[in-house]
Amino acid sequence: MTDRLAIEDAVRAYGPHAGVLGLSLTVAPGSVQALVGLNGAGKTTLMRAVLGMVRLDAGSVLIDGIPVGAMPAAAWARVGHLLDRPFAYPELDVRANLEVAARLRGLPAQAVPAAVAASLGRMGIGRYERVRASRLSKGNRQRLGLSAALIADPDLVVLDEPTDGLDPAGVIALREALRERADSGAGVLVSSHHLDEVARVADRISVMNRGRIIGALEPAEAELERAFFELVLADDRRHEGDSV
Ligand SMILES: Nc1ncnc2c1ncn2[C@@H]1O[C@H](COP(=O)(O)OP(=O)(O)OP(=O)(O)O)[C@@H](O)[C@H]1O
């Protein structure tokens, strides 16, 4: 079966230990792959490369077998993503933002009302449907961004620290939405700083440090934090004395 995402020997260097420095990773259909790492480990750079927002110096990224540089618009419409600040048209209300998101992702006009209704319910923002995006709280803006990313039931989901600003109810809603996507055959790549939280949703947890994947954590592991820091500290020790 073709991987939803296949990254091979990817390099996007910003310095000897910065960026993405030779990294391979796959996300199979039906799986949630988490990326964890300290600030500056390279998670966002990797996600930018996956989404074609930065060009790799070397290596390749394939989405459903197609190199990102050659993806037609219809294939990008099957990718749901949220990086950095959630995008929304500030003067449009929540409902209108979701309608636009659905159309931009190629949903036919007659399918939009049902998709918007499902989306409002999924992330619990129905009561804000007539509120302008510019007036939403940080957490509700994040919920709107996530709703837009997921509105067309994407085959690949790429989310950078998606629980940023979410309250516990939002975290649970997101977890259920990601599980539902994966159970429908999508691949999910998600980064986070919250180990316990990713352990609840991820099938695999890869640890990134200094631009590389340095190991994996077992989601069922009781002492995730300890295991994480052991991997990171061992890697840092290996690089002691290297120039930064
Ligand atoms: N455009 C750029 N120019 C120069 N350096 C960059 C650029 N983008 C990222 N970097 C550097 O690459 C490294 C990785 O950054 P990146 O944002 O990918 O890390 P991250 O794991 O997402 O961090 P965080 O958890 O803080 O979001 C950092 O050292 C960062 O300063």
Side-chain angles (χ1 to χ4, degrees):
M1 205 188 305
T2 309
D3 285 314
R4 290 297 188 194
L5 174 65
I7 303 169
E8 208 175 317
D9 297 329
V11 177
R12 171 68 192 206
Y14 293 120
H17 297 293
V20 170
L21 300 167
L23 183 158
S24 300
L25 181 78
T26 57
V27 182
S31 72
V32 178
Q33 162 77 60
L35 267 184
V36 298
L38 299 178
N39 292 137
K43 306 178 294 296
T44 304
T45 306
L46 180 67
M47 291 189 164
R48 285 178 176 279
V50 165
L51 296 171
M53 295 159 73
V54 299
R55 203 184 284 263
L56 290 177
D57 303 326
S60 63
V61 175
L62 305 184
I63 293 179
D64 274 327
I66 308 172
V68 285
M71 296 238 303
W76 280 118
R78 306 299 311 140
V79 180
H81 57 85
L82 181 59
L83 258 67
D84 306 321
R85 284 149 54 91
F87 178 80
Y89 295 98
E91 296 310 315
L92 296 186
D93 64 23
V94 165
R95 169 172 285 277
N97 264 290
L98 290 175
E99 286 168 352
V100 171
R103 295 296 280 148
L104 287 175
R105 286 167 177 80
L107 286 192
Q110 67 274 20
V112 170
V116 169
S119 189
L120 289 167
R122 187 183 297 128
M123 287 309 294
I125 48 174
R127 76 180 122 139
Y128 304 110
E129 66 176 313
R130 292 298 173 203
V131 176
R132 285 183 188 178
S134 59
R135 300 207 172 159
L136 292 174
S137 68
K138 179 182 173 189
N140 282 329
R141 218 174 310 132
Q142 185 73 357
R143 287 178 187 233
L144 173 58
L146 291 165
S147 301
L150 299 172
I151 196 162
D153 296 336
D155 294 327
L156 176 66
V157 180
V158 179
L159 303 175
D160 195 10
E161 293 172 38
T163 57
D164 227 25
L166 291 186
D167 62 19
V171 171
I172 292 169
L174 174 64
R175 194 190 305 152
E176 286 174 355
L178 296 186
R179 215 46 266 178
E180 185 272 325
R181 279 320 310 133
D183 291 347
S184 306
V188 178
L189 178 66
V190 61
S191 79
S192 180
H193 292 125
H194 305 287
L195 296 171
D196 290 336
E197 185 185 290
V198 291
R200 290 204 179 96
V201 69
D203 301 300
R204 282 197 301 171
I205 306 175
S206 296
V207 179
M208 252 189 111
N209 197 45
R210 297 168 179 256
R212 293 188 174 84
I213 288 179
I214 57 163
L217 299 175
E218 181 49 53
E221 155 89 53
E223 293 193 60
L224 275 175
E225 233 168 53
R226 189 182 51 76
F228 170 79
F229 279 110
E230 275 175 10
L231 282 172
V232 170
L233 292 175
D235 187 59
D236 282 348
R237 248 178 260 124
R238 269 193 296 279
H239 291 285
E240 253 166 37
D242 291 4
S243 57
V244 184

